[in-house]
């Protein structure tokens, strides 16, 4: 039975008193696992529970019930149908089909429990419990039923060489009919017919009787299609299996016989890397290997009609693997010796390779286990020290050993990434970064010699699983996300980005061969994933290490896929609409490589063209004001002739609307009225232009909320902040201009588009205390920002729209785009225009 529990708990009474024993049960006879067959013809575990049989009123008949041992929920409720074919396999399995494509199996812990339920099924169907399958007449025609009822048994010809053709015809004619298949199987069982056929096989081989060997091939192949466990147990026994394989070597459709037995006895050697003391386990391993070989290599590929006729063969292999894993897992001495030799420096390379290959196969077999037992399996391996062992193996020179170790690591990561994360964080406290397990994985990814980087792709997928916050949420450790990401960015990220940084020191990639481009594309894919899922960890890393600027160097690559990866990375950053990222992009003029790539692409209508236009269209549609102003002020001359899409003209229109709103306080006052819900629209339908004006206005109000207050300035961003001295110099230069600006302001409230500085009483005394406000990234006085004197791409005073200083109660706050004056809490609903007397007071202050 699959995965026998070593110490099963006591069984509580069954609900309703159902069952042959009834009432309270004190043994484990009825402990079962419920399996269903999936679309891939593999068995899926549905849970462990206790089976009972009783009459169910709703189903109007005797039924099988399985209740989960964990919570008593109903795992299975199945009426024992008089016409359903039930099969008993390997003494502890009962298998049947509920519908055309829905197969079920009960795997019992004990043979006695299986026998009890089997007797109940046979009792309902009126069958003799000694049979291993109940008859199914569903597919029979009336004529066939009549014929078969008149001859209750099937008489086989005597097993002689001269009658092989007759036997082959009988087998072939029985296969289409389920009832005849059943009768043929019973006859083959009862008369020991298979062993007699195998004796004739030896005679035919000795006589080189090719015709007889061809008949035996057809007979043995037909017996496989009978799909009966009792026959498989005979055929796959130690004394018969090689002869069965021998019969299947003589396929009549082939000109020459195959040498399967020669391969299994001479080429395929059983390597006992750690001695197995249990003879039953050893025999089970041999049997499973040979049956798997028969299924995969010897039997011809089944037709569509024959596929379901081999389901019992699939089941036989599946349950054998479950047994092998369970027996090995319980053998502590075996596993202890395995890991001791794996990590022992004295172990020679050939022996270590065999040990690693065995462990890889062992982990592959574990995939047959149900989830809860697979969890216990990997926990056992973890306790034995599989991760430290993998760390030792991955540090070796043998490429084959490292490859096998990588496969084992993938099993561990895919099933339990939290276990791997916990281990690497613990080892970081004791070891240097160079020998950390994750860094070894990253190094193997970077150094993959495969031209197609097959291994690197696999390893990148594993890294992505490890850094994915989605699979950190369900763990018991609530701080796993914070702790692991902090660890990863401190100890591992520099190893991952090393090839990227090394290749982007100039204006174009220093190495631009195909393999390097593939590797950098993989790294960028993971970094893009981090931007989307890691928020502030990756933000600090990108800004402090100037990663985006280095990534955009790859826009100059001759490989379009790599340039697109770099663009996608930037597009993901812009998609976050984060003003910290936006300031960083503007300060470093990081649209320049994109615009260059766009212009170099010329008039070609390709993916690069579409992707770049889409990025600018996103900025326009989302009305990202700071980026809109930056692009138009610095790159409009390069883009103004692009008229086959309206994106850039639309951006220019957005920019001009921003300027107009900034220069017209009347619009600001109207926005305040709307924000305070003091404006009520007429019942009349608004005209299109008015509707558009209001929509734009409401968008503005939302965007204004994105302003980062001065107190949010990160502590470690001094390298991208403006010094207070720059701001003070700029203030002095502008002070005289501001008085002129205020005098020129007309009664409608319009001002000339000069840079505005508005002060209220107490401003001067508060400038120093508010120095953090003047140090915000992207401020007009910052070195290299658009609008600052002498900076590349700077604009004249009359057109600079980058910022305004807003004041309230003596507080000075520097913001980085024009519509931030929405955030003022001044009482704007009293007057829409400034009176001359107020201007005079403002000047006198």
């Amino acid at each position: 039975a699959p995965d026998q529990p070593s110490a099963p708990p006591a069984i509580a009474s069954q609900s309703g008193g159902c069952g042959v024993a009834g009432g309270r049960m004190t043994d484990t006879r009825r402990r079962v696992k419920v399996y269903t067959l999936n679309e891939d013809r593999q068995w899926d575990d549905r849970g462990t529970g206790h089976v009972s049989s009783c009459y169910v009123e709703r189903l109007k008949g005797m039924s099988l019930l399985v209740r989960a041992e964990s919570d008593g929920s109903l795992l299975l409720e199945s009426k024992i149908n008089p016409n359903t074919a039930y099969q008993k396999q390997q003494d502890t399995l009962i298998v049947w089909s509920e519908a055309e494509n829905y197969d079920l199996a009960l795997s019992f812990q004990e043979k006695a429990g299986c026998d009890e339920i089997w007797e109940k099924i046979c009792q309902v169907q009126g069958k003799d419990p000694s049979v291993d399958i109940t008859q199914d007449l569903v597919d029979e025609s009336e004529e066939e039923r009549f014929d078969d009822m008149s001859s209750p048994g099937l008489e086989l010809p005597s097993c002689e060489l001269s009658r092989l053709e007759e036997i082959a015809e009988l087998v072939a004619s029985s296969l289409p009919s389920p009832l005849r298949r059943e009768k043929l199987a019973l006859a083959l069982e009862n008369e020991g017919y298979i062993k007699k056929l195998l004796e004739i096989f030896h005679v035919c081989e000795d006589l080189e009787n090719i015709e007889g060997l061809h008949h035996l091939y057809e007979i043995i192949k037909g017996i496989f299609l009978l799909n009966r466990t009792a026959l498989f147990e005979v055929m796959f026994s130690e004394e018969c299996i090689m002869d069965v394989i021998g019969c299947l070597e003589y396929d009549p459709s082939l000109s020459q016989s195959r040498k399967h037995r020669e391969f299994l006895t001479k080429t395929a050697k059983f390597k006992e890397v750690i001695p197995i003391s249990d003879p039953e386990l050893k025999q089970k391993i041999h049997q499973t290997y040979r049956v798997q070989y028969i299924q995969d290599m010897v039997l011809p590929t089944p037709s569509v009609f024959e596929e379901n006729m081999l389901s019992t063969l699939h089941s036989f292999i599946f349950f054998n693997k479950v047994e092998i894993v369970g027996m090995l897992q319980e053998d502590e001495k075996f596993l202890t010796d395995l890991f001791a030799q794996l990590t022992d420096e004295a172990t020679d390379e050939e022996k270590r390779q065999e040990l690693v290959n065995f462990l890889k196969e062992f982990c592959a077999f574990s995939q047959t286990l149900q989830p809860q037992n697979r969890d216990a399996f990997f926990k056992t391996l973890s306790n034995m020290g599989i991760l430290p062992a993998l760390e030792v193996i991955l540090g070796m020179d043998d490429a084959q050993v490292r490859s096998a170790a990588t496969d084992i690591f993938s099993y561990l990561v895919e099933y339990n990434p939290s276990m791997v994360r916990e281990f690497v964080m613990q080892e970081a406290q004791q070891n240097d970064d160079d020998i950390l397990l994750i860094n070894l994985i990253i190094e193997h990814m970077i150094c993959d010699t495969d031209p197609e980087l097959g291994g690197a792709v696999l390893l990148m997928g594993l890294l992505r699983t490890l850094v994915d916050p989605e699979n950190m949420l369900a763990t018991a450790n609530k701080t796993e996300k914070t702790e692991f990401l902090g660890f990863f960015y401190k100890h591992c990220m520099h190893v991952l980005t090393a090839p990227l940084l090394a290749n982007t020191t100039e204006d174009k990639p220093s190495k631009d061969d195909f393999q390097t481009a593939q590797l950098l594309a993989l790294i960028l894919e993971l970094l893009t994933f981090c931007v989307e899922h890691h928020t502030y960890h990756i933000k600090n890393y990108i800004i402090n290490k100037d990663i985006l600027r280095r990534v955009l160097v790859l826009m100059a690559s001759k490989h379009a896929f790599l340039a697109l990866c770099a663009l996608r990375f930037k597009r993901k950053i812009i998609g976050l609409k984060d003003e910290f990222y936006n300031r960083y992009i503007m300060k470093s003029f990081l649209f320049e490589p994109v615009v260059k790539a766009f212009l170099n692409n010329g008039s070609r209508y390709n993916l690069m063209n579409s992707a770049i236009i889409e990025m600018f269209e996103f900025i326009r549609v989302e009305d990202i004001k700071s980026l809109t102003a930056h692009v138009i002020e610095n790159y409009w001359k390069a883009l103004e002739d692009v008229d086959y899409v309206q994106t850039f003209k639309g951006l220019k229109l957005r920019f001009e609307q921003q300027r107009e709103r900034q220069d017209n306080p009347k619009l600001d006052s109207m926005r305040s009225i709307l924000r305070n819900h003091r404006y009520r629209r007429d019942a009349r339908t608004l005209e299109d232009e008015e509707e558009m004006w209001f929509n734009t206005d409401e968008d503005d109000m939302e965007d204004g909320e994105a302003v980062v207050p001065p107190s949010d300035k990160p502590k470690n961003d001094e390298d991208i902040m403006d010094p207070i001295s720059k701001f003070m110099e700029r203030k002095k230069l502008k002070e005289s201009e501001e008085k002129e600006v205020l005098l020129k302001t007309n009664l409608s409230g319009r001002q000339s588009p000069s840079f505005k500085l508005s002060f209220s009483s107490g401003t001067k005394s508060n400038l120093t205390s508010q120095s953090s406000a003047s140090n915000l990234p992207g401020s007009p006085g910052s070195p290299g920002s658009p609008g600052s004197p002498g900076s590349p791409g700077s604009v004249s005073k009359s057109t600079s729209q980058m910022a305004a200083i807003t004041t309230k109660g003596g507080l000075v706050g520097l913001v980085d785009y024009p519509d931030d004056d929405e955030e003022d809490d001044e009482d704007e609903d009293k007057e829409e225009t400034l009176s001359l007397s107020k201007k005079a007071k403002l000047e006198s202050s």
Side-chain angles (χ1 to χ4, degrees):
D3 190 37
Q4 297 281 9
S6 56
I11 308 299
S13 61
Q14 302 297 304
S15 62
C18 296
V20 177
R24 181 172 294 274
M25 300 176 64
T26 57
D27 57 19
T28 57
R29 293 197 308 278
R30 300 293 189 81
R31 194 160 189 256
V32 296
K33 296 185 189 302
V34 181
Y35 290 91
T36 58
L37 199 65
N38 62 27
E39 293 178 355
D40 299 324
R41 309 303 296 171
Q42 299 295 321
W43 289 102
D44 290 335
D45 175 69
R46 296 302 181 191
T48 303
H50 299 93
V51 65
S52 59
S53 60
C54 65
Y55 185 86
V56 176
E57 182 65 32
R58 185 175 62 82
L59 300 177
K60 304 295 183 188
M62 293 295 293
S63 305
L64 297 177
L65 305 177
V66 179
R67 293 197 175 274
E69 65 178 1
S70 58
D71 57 8
S73 60
L74 200 60
L75 295 177
L76 176 70
E77 184 180 59
S78 173
K79 180 181 177 181
I80 302 173
N81 194 311
N83 296 321
T84 297
Y86 290 84
Q87 295 182 56
K88 187 167 74 166
Q89 302 176 6
Q90 300 179 3
D91 291 331
T92 55
L93 285 169
I94 296 177
V95 181
W96 73 98
S97 295
E98 285 277 299
E100 185 175 347
N101 292 312
Y102 188 63
D103 291 0
L104 286 160
L106 293 180
S107 174
F108 289 77
Q109 182 170 326
E110 295 187 9
K111 179 179 182 298
C114 184
D115 291 342
E116 284 182 13
I117 296 298
W118 183 250
E119 286 178 15
K120 178 60 67 175
I121 293 170
C122 292
Q123 179 185 336
V124 173
Q125 294 200 338
K127 307 296 180 187
D128 184 346
S130 63
V131 302
D132 284 343
I133 187 170
T134 59
Q135 295 180 6
D136 182 5
L137 303 180
V138 174
D139 295 334
E140 295 295 313
S141 67
E142 292 297 326
E143 189 176 333
E144 286 175 322
R145 291 188 196 180
F146 180 79
D147 291 344
D148 288 323
M149 287 172 68
S150 62
S151 55
L154 181 68
E155 193 172 327
L156 291 169
S158 57
C159 195
E160 300 172 2
L161 178 59
S162 59
R163 305 193 70 175
L164 284 178
E165 184 176 1
E166 184 183 346
I167 298 169
E169 288 176 357
L170 176 64
V171 171
S173 64
S174 299
L175 289 176
S177 164
L179 182 56
R180 288 177 183 170
R181 285 204 307 271
E182 174 62 20
K183 288 185 175 180
L184 175 60
L186 287 172
L188 291 170
E189 281 179 58
N190 296 337
E191 299 180 24
Y193 211 79
I194 292 176
K195 290 185 178 179
K196 295 176 184 177
L197 286 170
L198 296 178
E199 289 173 5
I200 295 178
F201 167 71
H202 286 291
V203 173
C204 287
E205 275 211 315
D206 292 341
L207 297 175
E208 297 184 358
N209 183 341
I210 301 300
E211 184 181 358
L213 291 169
H214 285 170
H215 288 318
L216 282 166
Y217 171 89
E218 297 291 353
I219 292 167
I220 295 298
K221 179 190 170 189
I223 293 174
F224 269 95
L225 296 177
L226 292 176
N227 208 25
R228 191 173 178 87
T229 305
L231 296 177
F232 287 158
E233 287 175 351
V234 175
M235 295 164 74
F236 300 153
S237 63
E238 189 71 25
E239 57 180 315
C240 296
I241 190 167
M242 295 307 290
D243 292 337
V244 169
I245 293 170
C247 291
L248 293 173
E249 289 179 352
Y250 294 94
D251 185 346
S253 63
L254 300 175
S255 57
Q256 281 190 329
S257 63
R258 298 293 177 90
K259 305 294 182 185
H260 295 303
R261 286 171 295 173
E262 183 179 325
F263 173 82
L264 288 171
T265 54
K266 295 180 180 177
T267 307
K269 297 291 184 183
F270 176 64
K271 293 185 177 179
E272 222 171 335
V273 290
I274 303 290
I276 298 174
S277 55
D278 186 347
E280 183 185 352
L281 173 59
K282 193 181 294 187
Q283 189 274 330
K284 187 73 69 176
I285 291 172
H286 282 298
Q287 184 190 59
T288 305
Y289 175 78
R290 290 166 180 170
V291 176
Q292 185 87 57
Y293 182 83
I294 290 172
Q295 177 184 265
D296 296 340
M297 304 299 297
V298 180
L299 285 176
T301 304
S303 68
V304 174
F305 303 103
E306 294 173 338
E307 179 65 36
N308 289 336
M309 300 172 77
L310 290 173
S311 61
T312 306
L313 181 61
H314 298 316
S315 303
F316 190 95
I317 295 169
F318 172 83
F319 290 115
N320 261 19
K321 287 181 176 179
V322 170
E323 276 193 78
I324 291 169
V325 173
M327 294 167 80
L328 283 173
Q329 190 179 341
E330 291 170 9
D331 191 340
E332 289 189 12
K333 183 180 183 305
F334 179 87
L335 291 178
T336 303
D337 291 348
L338 171 67
F339 284 103
Q341 292 190 36
L342 261 178
T343 54
D344 189 352
E345 293 181 2
T347 305
D348 63 72
E349 292 304 314
E350 185 178 352
K351 176 73 171 178
R352 199 186 311 274
Q353 184 174 341
E354 291 174 357
L355 291 166
V356 173
N357 286 335
F358 168 80
L359 188 55
K360 174 185 170 182
E361 191 171 359
F362 189 33
C363 290
F365 268 37
S366 74
Q367 300 304 102
T368 61
L369 297 174
Q370 58 273 19
Q372 60 267 35
N373 284 356
R374 203 181 313 165
D375 192 33
F377 169 81
F378 283 116
K379 197 171 186 64
T380 300
L381 292 186
S382 178
N383 293 338
M384 290 287 177
I386 188 169
L387 286 165
L390 285 178
E391 201 167 51
V392 172
I393 298 165
L394 286 168
M396 295 179 177
D397 296 330
D398 192 321
Q400 288 185 330
V401 170
R402 290 203 311 267
S403 174
T406 300
D407 291 336
I408 297 168
F409 184 69
S410 71
Y411 284 120
L412 295 171
V413 170
E414 287 170 13
Y415 189 72
N416 195 345
S418 289
M419 179 179 75
V420 178
R421 285 191 283 261
E422 184 180 356
F423 169 77
V424 296
M425 283 192 288
Q426 288 176 352
E427 69 164 346
Q429 299 170 5
Q430 303 166 353
N431 299 333
D432 295 332
D433 287 0
D434 294 342
I435 59 172
L436 296 182
L437 179 59
I438 290 190
N439 286 344
L440 289 173
I441 294 294
I442 294 173
E443 286 171 15
H444 288 315
M445 181 196 78
I446 292 170
C447 301
D448 188 6
T449 55
D450 178 9
E452 297 298 325
L453 294 187
V457 171
L458 169 65
L459 293 172
M460 183 60 73
L462 298 179
L463 284 173
R464 180 170 175 155
T465 302
L466 285 174
V467 301
D468 187 354
E470 291 299 319
N471 62 48
M472 299 180 193
L473 301 178
T475 59
N477 183 1
K478 295 180 181 178
T479 61
E480 183 183 18
K481 177 179 176 180
T482 303
E483 288 182 0
F484 181 75
L485 292 183
F487 155 82
F488 184 78
Y489 280 87
K490 181 178 179 181
H491 297 281
C492 307
M493 185 57 98
H494 66 280
V495 182
L496 178 66
T497 56
L500 171 67
L501 297 176
N503 207 39
T504 54
T505 54
E506 306 295 333
D507 291 338
K508 60 181 182 179
S510 50
K511 283 184 68 179
D512 205 16
D513 58 280
F514 180 69
Q515 193 163 356
T516 302
Q518 273 191 309
L519 175 63
L520 294 179
L522 277 177
I523 294 171
L524 278 178
E525 184 181 338
L526 185 59
L527 290 177
T528 304
F529 177 83
C530 293
V531 166
E532 184 174 3
H533 293 90
H534 290 177
T535 59
Y536 67 90
H537 288 93
I538 188 70
K539 186 194 302 183
N540 288 341
Y541 190 81
I542 288 173
I543 292 176
N544 290 335
K545 301 292 184 183
D546 202 13
I547 295 295
L548 179 56
R549 185 177 65 80
R550 305 294 284 273
V551 167
L552 290 175
V553 170
L554 302 176
M555 293 286 292
S557 170
K558 67 182 179 184
H559 300 283
F561 70 89
L562 180 57
L564 286 166
C565 281
L567 184 64
R568 187 160 55 246
F569 179 70
K570 179 171 182 177
R571 172 65 177 81
K572 184 66 71 176
I573 289 174
I574 291 176
L576 297 176
K577 297 192 284 188
D578 185 316
E579 279 303 309
F580 278 99
Y581 275 132
N582 291 347
R583 291 178 187 125
Y584 163 59
I585 289 171
M586 293 185 298
K587 177 182 180 296
S588 301
F589 289 88
L590 295 182
F591 276 100
E592 187 172 326
V594 178
V595 173
K596 278 185 179 178
F598 182 69
L599 297 176
N600 290 338
N601 190 62
S603 59
R604 283 175 293 180
Y605 179 47
N606 53 18
L607 192 55
M608 178 65 74
N609 174 276
S610 299
I612 293 175
I613 290 174
E614 190 278 333
M615 179 164 57
F616 286 111
E617 182 69 12
F618 176 82
I619 294 171
R620 184 192 72 79
V621 171
E622 296 296 323
D623 197 14
I624 305 176
K625 296 176 176 55
S626 54
L627 296 185
T628 299
H630 176 75
V631 170
I632 295 303
E633 288 173 351
N634 293 280
Y635 308 106
W636 172 242
K637 289 192 178 300
L639 302 171
E640 63 179 335
D641 293 333
V642 179
D643 55 6
Y644 53 87
V645 289
Q646 296 304 306
T647 297
F648 301 108
K649 287 182 170 54
L651 266 180
K652 182 74 181 303
L653 180 61
R654 285 279 195 194
F655 174 66
E656 289 170 350
Q657 289 171 347
Q658 289 175 32
R659 289 178 60 182
E660 185 171 346
R661 285 197 297 272
Q662 179 186 355
D663 297 341
N664 193 342
K666 181 176 180 180
L667 298 183
D668 295 340
S669 298
M670 184 62 73
R671 261 198 309 274
S672 175
I673 293 171
L674 289 176
R675 186 165 59 240
N676 288 293
H677 305 289
R678 298 180 185 177
Y679 178 87
R680 297 290 181 266
R681 302 187 188 186
D682 294 336
R684 66 181 176 83
T685 304
L686 292 173
E687 294 178 0
D688 291 344
E689 289 182 2
E690 287 181 276
E691 185 67 46
M692 185 169 63
W693 188 89
F694 282 120
N695 288 341
T696 306
D697 185 48
E698 288 163 5
D699 291 342
D700 265 359
M701 288 159 59
E702 290 173 7
D703 288 335
E705 293 170 7
V707 181
V708 181
S711 59
D712 288 346
K713 183 184 79 67
K715 294 179 182 178
N716 57 351
D717 282 356
E718 288 81 8
D719 55 328
I720 58 172
M721 301 302 180
D722 275 350
I724 186 62
S725 56
K726 292 279 187 183
F727 175 77
M728 293 299 292
E729 288 175 14
R730 187 173 182 83
K731 186 191 84 73
K732 290 176 182 177
L733 288 171
K734 294 293 182 180
E735 197 166 314
S736 59
E737 276 186 33
E738 294 312 309
K739 294 181 180 179
E740 294 177 12
V741 169
L742 292 172
L743 289 173
K744 289 178 183 178
T745 303
N746 57 31
L747 289 175
S748 67
R750 288 194 59 84
Q751 296 181 354
S752 64
S754 304
F755 186 83
K756 301 190 296 294
L757 283 173
S758 303
F759 295 97
S760 64
S761 60
T763 297
K764 295 180 181 179
S765 62
N766 281 286
L767 282 173
T768 306
S769 64
Q770 296 298 328
S771 60
S772 62
S774 63
N775 286 337
L776 283 175
S779 61
S782 60
S785 65
S788 60
S791 67
S794 64
V795 295
S796 66
K797 296 174 186 176
S798 62
T799 59
S800 173
Q801 300 297 325
M802 286 304 292
I805 292 183
T806 58
T807 65
K808 188 184 80 170
L811 177 65
V812 179
L814 182 64
V815 294
D816 61 343
Y817 53 85
D819 269 2
D820 281 342
D821 51 356
E822 288 178 10
E823 295 301 301
D824 282 350
D825 290 325
E826 295 177 14
D827 192 2
E828 295 179 337
D829 59 345
K830 293 179 182 176
E831 290 287 345
E832 294 185 0
T833 59
L834 286 172
S835 66
L836 290 173
S837 60
K838 286 185 178 178
K839 293 179 198 172
K841 287 180 183 178
L842 190 57
E843 286 178 346
S844 63
S845 66

